[in-house]
Amino acid sequence: MKRIASNMLLSLALLTLLCVLLSAGPQVPLASAAGISEQETDLKKEPQPEFSSSQELNSAQAKMGVRTGSIQDAYTAQYLPDTSILYFEGISDMIVALTAGKIDGFMTVATRVPFILRENEKLAAFELEGPLDHVAFMSAPADFSRDLLVQLNSYILSAKNNGLFDKLYDQWFKAQDSYPEVISESELSADHGVIRYAAQGNMEPISFILGDKLTGLELDLLSRFCQEYGYGLTVTESNIAGMLAGITSGKYDLAGGGLAITEERRQSVDFTESYHSYGQWIITRALVGAGGDSGENTRVSFWSKVSNSFHKTFIRESRWKLIAGGIGVSLLISIMAGIIGSLFGFGICLLRMSKKRGPSAFAKVFIRLIQGVPMVVLLMILYYLVFGSVDINAIIVAIIGISINFGVYVGEMMRTGIEAVPTGQREASLALGYNNLQTFSKVIFPQAARHILPVYKGEFISMVKTTSIVGYIAVQDLTKVSDIIRSRTYEAFFPLIVTAIIYFLIAWILTSLLNLIEIRIDPGKRSRELKGVIE
């Protein structure tokens, strides 16, 4: 008991120390975002890329990284037909794969290139001749969205003609010390309804996470439109796959974040007038000694690199607050899903053990169905289909989905534990005058709990780690905020390592709590010291 308590205290102390370290250090202003047009000119000078043309990549039969659901998938197949494609969830993942030699390059939009090269001196880029994408808002095929589309088209054309868009472009693309403020959601009236807007948060400066909020040129333009036309606005950060699912299911009215117009997408969704256009660039490794990483960085001390990376990842823009918020969300989902899932599992267990064929068959089919569906697919079905037309917080949907999945496994554990108790125990308790409820609560279940808890602990910790996938339905849990930070810094080391450490500490603390409960229930695990006996 004392050892378990000391382990819990040690875990809490380590978690507290980690939070203190994250919150320490000076606050610094936003890093400069120089004009994209000027940076694109510099990109053509140096550093020199390992591959300098699409022909070289095709000849080498290179491995190309592609972000799932992006327009670069089609462009890679069209312009680099002799290369092989590996799919990734984000730009930061492809950068790690590129520097590790797992891929030879990846394609991305011109607006993102300067920020990637600014943070990764071992990489270089060259422009892909040919494709020019037009960026617009994506609209849901619904009556409200169609009316909104007409008004937004008129506003975009007006902004281009009266110089408003050029002004916004200069403010965001040529920002020096800080980005401009976007009109707050609370400042907008909802006289004509509320626009549900979702956007990807990794397209700086068009759409990105700053602090703990989504911002960027696109949101600035949309907020000004809402203010002029009397709309309210709710903002959700999501990936491309989530936005497409949300738009087609009616979960969102508008989606954006630098989305390109394609004919294939037009078959399922509507688009506004284009407000911006950009070309495609290919990121590859820089040649050593040819304007790339010439080795000067190796003379910088290891601890200086670590300190700089730590500062950029956590201290800049107070990004440690994102981590703290993510921890809270992950703990909330884990604890609520654990409680609700356990109660739900008990109900499933009762149905499964029912002597009536109907309830028992239903429970058996339900269990097999949930066990056969991947957790991430279940969450997306609940969020985009079942609750697609309902204004419900994504955290609640995550709790419901994980509770259902956890509950079916708990139900089977309970059934196995109850069946492990000898039948004679029930018969003896009934002979002593206990009714069925008293027999179950005072005789059967306490003995069954001794069989259930060891397996329950492992399943509970597995459920806690499963919460790392809730980012697929726009929940900013610990893993999701780690991805957001990586999308801004293009670094993987600190966000991933800290995320792993925090999950380990959370699992350690919760396991210690369950061990205490197990000791209270199972007499065989208690201390065998006898009071009054002295050796």
Side-chain angles (χ1 to χ4, degrees), residues 33-36 111 168-175 179 205-206 217 276:
I36 293 295
T111 54
L168 295 179
Y169 182 92
D170 290 340
Q171 288 178 346
W172 287 97
F173 278 81
K174 299 180 181 180
Y179 286 112
I206 291 177
L217 181 149
H276 184 52

Side-chain angles (χ1 to χ4, degrees), residues 51-64 75-84 104 126 128 282:
F51 299 94
S52 58
S53 68
S54 57
Q55 290 79 10
E56 291 184 13
L57 287 167
N58 279 318
S59 298
Q61 295 183 338
K63 295 180 180 179
M64 296 296 295
Y75 284 150
T76 302
Q78 179 181 353
Y79 291 92
L80 303 170
D82 296 329
T83 62
S84 56
D104 298 306
F126 68 89
L128 181 65
I282 292 180

Side-chain angles (χ1 to χ4, degrees), residues 130-411:
L132 181 66
D133 293 317
H134 296 279
V135 183
F137 292 95
M138 183 188 295
S139 172
D143 292 338
F144 174 76
S145 297
R146 289 192 181 97
D147 295 338
L148 178 64
L149 192 68
V150 174
Q151 295 174 331
L152 191 52
N153 280 336
S154 175
Y155 185 80
I156 291 173
L157 292 174
S158 175
K160 286 183 176 181
N161 293 331
N162 62 22
L164 173 61
F165 183 80
D166 291 336
K167 176 184 175 182
L168 295 179
Y169 182 92
D170 290 340
Q171 288 178 346
W172 287 97
F173 278 81
K174 299 180 181 180
Q176 294 297 324
D177 298 323
S178 62
Y179 286 112
E181 292 288 334
V182 175
I183 299 172
S184 172
E185 297 173 32
S186 60
E187 299 177 29
L188 300 174
S189 64
D191 298 335
H192 297 96
V194 177
I195 299 173
R196 298 168 299 173
Y197 166 72
Q200 53 184 337
N202 56 6
M203 280 288 290
E204 187 178 0
I206 291 177
S207 178
F208 62 101
I209 298 291
L210 180 61
D212 59 349
K213 294 183 179 180
L214 190 70
T215 188
L217 181 149
E218 185 176 274
L219 183 59
D220 194 354
L221 181 66
L222 181 59
S223 298
R224 291 169 184 266
F225 163 79
C226 291
Q227 187 178 55
E228 182 170 326
Y229 281 79
Y231 286 104
L233 183 65
T234 61
V235 180
T236 303
E237 193 277 334
S238 180
N239 56 23
I240 293 179
M243 287 189 295
L244 292 174
I247 283 290
T248 54
S249 66
K251 188 73 177 179
Y252 307 128
D253 302 309
L254 287 177
L259 291 178
I261 302 173
T262 68
E263 290 304 318
E264 187 175 11
R265 289 175 178 174
R266 280 189 184 276
Q267 296 175 9
S268 302
V269 298
D270 298 323
F271 284 95
T272 64
E273 290 287 336
S274 172
Y275 65 83
H276 184 52
S277 61
Y278 48 60
Q280 297 290 331
W281 286 64
I282 292 180
I283 306 293
T284 184
R285 288 178 291 272
L287 290 174
V288 177
D293 184 11
S294 60
E296 294 180 2
N297 292 327
T298 59
R299 291 195 289 270
V300 180
S301 71
F302 171 77
W303 290 111
S304 295
K305 291 182 179 179
V306 171
S307 176
N308 179 63
S309 180
F310 180 88
H311 187 275
K312 181 169 58 177
T313 303
F314 299 114
I315 307 304
R316 183 184 296 174
E317 300 174 12
S318 298
R319 288 173 182 154
W320 63 270
K321 293 181 180 179
L322 280 174
I323 296 290
I327 293 174
V329 171
S330 293
L331 282 174
L332 174 64
I333 295 174
S334 298
I335 294 172
M336 293 303 298
I339 295 172
I340 297 173
S342 298
L343 296 175
F344 179 70
F346 181 71
I348 288 292
C349 174
L350 295 180
L351 289 177
R352 183 75 172 84
M353 298 185 68
S354 174
K355 294 180 180 180
K356 296 182 179 180
R357 183 174 298 178
S360 179
F362 169 79
K364 186 175 182 179
V365 171
F366 182 79
I367 289 170
R368 296 294 176 264
L369 176 64
I370 298 300
Q371 288 179 338
V373 177
M375 187 67 245
V376 65
V377 176
L378 176 62
L379 285 176
M380 295 184 74
I381 289 174
L382 289 174
Y383 188 65
Y384 295 115
L385 298 180
V386 177
F387 297 104
S389 58
V390 180
D391 186 14
I392 184 173
N393 193 301
I395 294 178
I396 297 176
V397 177
I399 292 173
I400 293 173
I402 295 177
S403 297
I404 292 173
N405 187 77
F406 181 58
V408 298
Y409 287 98
V410 170

Side-chain angles (χ1 to χ4, degrees), residues 109-131:
V109 298
T111 54
R112 187 183 276 129
V113 175
F115 299 98
I116 294 176
L117 300 189
R118 182 187 66 191
E119 305 293 348
N120 299 272
E121 297 179 351
K122 294 183 179 181
L123 302 182
F126 68 89
E127 186 174 8
L128 181 65
E129 297 182 2

